[in-house]
Structure formats: C-alpha cells, structure tokens
Amino acid sequence: MDKLRNYDVSFSGLKNGKHVFKFEIDKTFFQLFDTEQEFTNPKITADVFLEKHTTFLEFEIKVHGTVELICDITNDEFNYPIENEIRILVHFGEEYDDSNEDVITIPASDHAFNVAQLIYENVQLSIPMKKISPNVSDEDLEILNRFSPKDIEEPEEENYNSDPRWDALRKLKDNN
C-alpha cells in the first residue's frame, strides 16, 4: 500500500465540513495496480470531495478526462471521454471492512483514507464493453449488421399426434 500513499486523504487535522482534493491520473497511476488495461494514454482528473462529520466521512469522487481505446471494428485508436462519479460513506469501527459497496468501515485509529482503489474502479467502470470509434461509417455498421449472426427464433411446438404411452410418462414427470 506504500506505493499508493500519494492518494491518501488525511482527515485527522481537518475541521468538520466540506473539503476538496484533486489528483492527476496518468499511466503511472495504473501501473501501480499491476493489471493490464484496455486503454492507453489516460489523461484524467479525479476530484475528491470530502464532507467530514463527527462520526463518519462522506466521499464523492468524480473522474473526467480521456483515454485512448482501440475500436473493436476497425482496430483504429480513438480518444474516449471518461466521466463518472461515485459516493462512499466511511464509518469508523474495529477493523477495515469493504464488504458493503456503499459503506466502508476503517479502524478508528486511522488518520487518512486512501482513495486510489476507488479512483481506479471509477475509471474502469467508465470503459465501455463494446468499443466503437466515432469514425466508423454508417455503411460499415450496416455491412457488419448484415453479416452478423441473427437471433434464431425457436419454432413454437406444433400440435402433433403423440404416442399415448409417452403422454402418460410426461404426466408422471410433470407431477414430480
């Protein structure tokens, strides 16, 4: 966690009320997580709004900027705008617990809260599953749609004359 220390928000010396922190996010930030990214050249700003209360902290983390994605259709690189926000409540307790997605519990002895993981997740949630460049023409999309597999409609069961012995067995099966 030492490598992420630059993303600690120290709240112990702050008065109750609203406070703002700003972090510039680039590729070195994502290298700290040792995971392969689906994007390159991130230029992102993370605004962290902290509202300190006596017994808990409220965080609102807004990320905005751009990343370069590779189009799934043309394999061309394009800039994709990133914009997302999350809200988290931080309570004080015995030990760290992030099992609830909206509330994180940290030890009462802590004097800072690290927002790196929340910023990372916020950016990752902004990346679309299907990456299509805005430069893809309508013609290309039309051709792709024409040759894409279509949903196969299952034919409705037709009334057919069945063997009465099988019907009796089906009734037994349906009763169980």
Side-chain angles (χ1 to χ4, degrees), residues 9 14 17-23 46-51:
V9 173
L14 299 176
K18 296 182 180 186
H19 307 277
V20 179
F21 302 87
K22 192 178 275 287
F23 298 97
D47 296 316
V48 177
F49 301 96
L50 164 65
E51 186 166 349

Side-chain angles (χ1 to χ4, degrees), residues 63-109:
V63 294
H64 52 89
T66 60
V67 295
E68 283 184 7
L69 297 176
I70 296 178
C71 179
D72 292 338
I73 297 172
T74 62
N75 253 6
D76 292 336
E77 287 186 354
F78 66 99
N79 282 336
Y80 184 79
I82 296 291
E83 194 164 330
N84 201 5
E85 71 178 69
I86 56 174
R87 295 173 187 260
I88 298 289
L89 287 178
V90 177
H91 285 271
F92 301 103
E94 303 264 333
E95 59 185 32
Y96 184 85
D97 178 19
D98 63 353
S99 58
N100 184 336
E101 65 184 48
D102 295 326
V103 180
I104 296 175
T105 303
I106 62 173
S109 61

Side-chain angles (χ1 to χ4, degrees), residues 134-145:
N135 301 329
V136 174
S137 69
D138 290 338
E139 267 181 25
D140 290 340
L141 289 174
E142 149 82 44
I143 291 170
L144 185 67
N145 192 25

Side-chain angles (χ1 to χ4, degrees), residues 97-125:
D97 178 19
D98 63 353
S99 58
N100 184 336
E101 65 184 48
D102 295 326
V103 180
I104 296 175
T105 303
I106 62 173
S109 61
D110 281 4
H111 302 290
F113 181 71
N114 191 288
V115 294
Q117 183 67 35
L118 296 173
I119 293 171
Y120 176 81
E121 290 172 4
N122 208 354
V123 171
Q124 291 294 345
L125 289 172

Side-chain angles (χ1 to χ4, degrees), residues 2-15:
D2 290 334
K3 60 184 178 178
L4 299 174
R5 187 170 302 279
N6 292 338
Y7 302 96
D8 280 351
V9 173
S10 181
F11 54 82
S12 63
L14 299 176
K15 294 180 180 180

